[in-house]
Amino acid sequence: MAFFIASSPHTHIRKNTPELMKWVALAALPGLLTQTYFFGWGTLIQLVLAFVIAGSYESLVMLLRKRSPHAALRDYSVFVTAWLLAVAIPPLSPWWMLVIGLFFAVVVAKQLYGGLGQNPFNPAMIGYIVLLISFPLQMTSWLAPQVLNPNHISLYDAWSLIFTGFDSDGYSLQQVRTGIDGITMATPLDAFKTAIKTGVTSAEALELPPFSSFAGIGWEWVNLAYLAGGLILIKVRVIQWHIPAGILGGLLVASGLGYILAPDTLANPVLHLLSGATMLGAFFIATDPVTASTTVKGRLIFGAMIGLMVFMIRSWGGFPDGVAFSVLLANMTVPLIDHYTKPRTYGH
């Protein structure tokens, strides 16, 4: 028998990396389909485009390193990175944004550190943050959910807006967005933060058109779909429950205390849990085995830290959602967390 020595991450299940990545993609499928239903064909177009771009970057870097592109592509990790970035950006974002975002995600954040297993930061979130800081207008150009949009955007119009900037009638994305009074500008988290700044109360803000009885129209179902997919990952032991529990528990406790102390200016816990990228981040982004904590106690601390920072950024930061920033900041603390949460050696 051969004895194999490999670097981290180590898993205690009989699944190799390609199998793990396939399970992640399968579990993310309900969220993808729900997001497509509420926000249109652009989500699927961005996903296909992201696959092509990410695969091309990975292959090119492997050729430059004089290694086999096929060996790198067949673990499917680059396609999971592409998937996460594609669903995180607005569905009708111009095509060149994925070109830029995936360059930083695949080439800079992953391959320049040595490839899979060597990167200290989550590649998809690096790409997302670069786009958010560099192109804030494009990254906040979310359309209203299709159930609120009387002007249905067809597959051809979505394709045309992504690759040319105009639909079949010659209208730009900005003109398409402003065609619906009052509900086109932003996500529910951004709408809530903007409304609070104008002086309205939290209860009054939740009566605006983007909100339903629970959270944002469409967004609550997208989050529930990713929650269902995340529970599947835990069930089949692709991920462990500690990080998602830490994130959701930390966010729930922080937002609950905040809402008790300042109910007129802070969002309630339900809005935090079912808006933005909460469930996607908790189950599919923060659980990356390469960049997350590796000890049991460390995972809980790592998750709770992310949940707390998400609440703080959403409540007082300059951005409506804080999942990406929180994950990257927590990635920086992983060596320290792992050092102080090492399990006691057997016999000591």
Side-chain angles (χ1 to χ4, degrees):
M1 285 184 62
F3 179 72
F4 296 97
I5 300 177
S7 63
S8 60
H10 305 291
T11 58
H12 297 281
I13 54 176
R14 294 183 178 91
K15 292 184 177 70
N16 55 32
T17 301
E19 288 180 292
L20 294 175
M21 296 300 110
K22 288 178 182 178
W23 269 110
V24 171
L26 182 63
L29 194 57
L32 173 69
L33 296 178
T34 307
Q35 192 168 333
T36 302
Y37 173 78
F38 282 103
F39 297 102
W41 292 103
T43 301
L44 292 181
I45 296 174
Q46 298 285 3
L47 181 63
V48 175
L49 179 62
F51 284 165
V52 174
I53 296 172
S56 300
Y57 281 144
E58 187 93 336
S59 300
L60 179 60
V61 173
M62 287 288 95
L63 289 174
L64 292 175
R65 296 176 64 186
K66 302 185 185 304
R67 296 185 180 182
S68 170
H70 181 260
L73 294 176
R74 68 185 179 186
D75 65 21
Y76 304 119
S77 62
V78 70
F79 298 111
V80 171
T81 297
W83 187 309
L84 294 175
L85 186 58
V87 300
I89 67 174
L92 298 180
S93 300
W95 61 271
W96 48 264
M97 291 188 63
L98 278 178
V99 174
I100 297 173
L102 286 170
F103 174 82
F104 282 92
V106 176
V107 178
V108 177
K110 179 184 177 183
Q111 290 297 342
L112 287 185
Y113 283 95
L116 180 65
Q118 308 298 321
N119 50 290
F121 300 103
N122 187 287
M125 293 301 96
I126 289 289
Y128 179 86
I129 292 300
V130 168
L131 293 178
L132 183 61
I133 294 176
S134 304
F135 311 103
L137 177 61
Q138 288 82 0
M139 287 295 286
T140 54
S141 296
W142 286 86
L143 288 175
Q146 293 198 107
V147 294
L148 298 177
N149 191 343
N151 301 316
H152 179 72
I153 298 177
S154 66
L155 175 61
Y156 176 77
D157 283 336
W159 177 275
S160 182
L161 283 165
I162 291 171
F163 288 97
T164 70
F166 299 91
D167 66 6
S168 57
D169 295 322
Y171 292 107
S172 67
L173 176 59
Q174 188 62 26
Q175 290 173 315
V176 171
R177 292 180 65 238
T178 55
I180 313 165
D181 294 336
I183 57 174
T184 60
M185 285 305 296
T187 63
L189 289 172
D190 198 3
F192 181 87
K193 178 171 287 190
T194 302
I196 293 298
K197 289 181 180 179
T198 63
V200 303
T201 65
S202 174
E204 292 170 339
L206 294 178
E207 295 177 357
L208 296 173
F211 297 98
S212 67
S213 55
F214 294 103
I217 294 176
W219 290 94
E220 57 193 11
W221 292 107
V222 172
N223 274 276
L224 289 173
Y226 281 119
L227 170 61
L231 294 177
I232 291 174
L233 291 181
I234 294 176
K235 175 67 176 178
V236 298
R237 299 185 64 193
V238 170
I239 64 173
Q240 295 182 320
W241 61 268
H242 308 90
I243 292 176
I247 293 175
L248 300 182
L251 182 57
L252 177 64
V253 171
S255 60
L257 291 175
Y259 190 67
I260 291 173
L261 296 174
D264 290 338
T265 58
L266 296 179
N268 63 61
V270 176
L271 180 61
H272 277 290
L273 292 175
L274 297 181
S275 294
T278 300
M279 297 300 172
L280 178 66
F283 290 96
F284 294 90
I285 297 175
T287 53
D288 174 21
V290 177
T291 58
S293 179
T294 57
T295 67
V296 173
K297 292 180 181 178
R299 293 189 193 105
L300 290 170
I301 296 172
F302 176 80
M305 181 184 300
I306 293 174
L308 177 60
M309 288 191 290
V310 167
F311 167 73
M312 295 173 64
I313 294 172
R314 287 178 176 179
S315 300
W316 302 293
F319 295 92
D321 201 354
V323 171
F325 289 102
S326 301
V327 169
L328 293 182
L329 289 171
N331 288 159
M332 297 173 62
T333 68
V334 164
L336 186 66
I337 293 175
D338 283 350
H339 177 75
Y340 285 104
T341 58
K342 289 186 296 185
R344 185 183 297 274
T345 305
Y346 181 75
H348 289 76

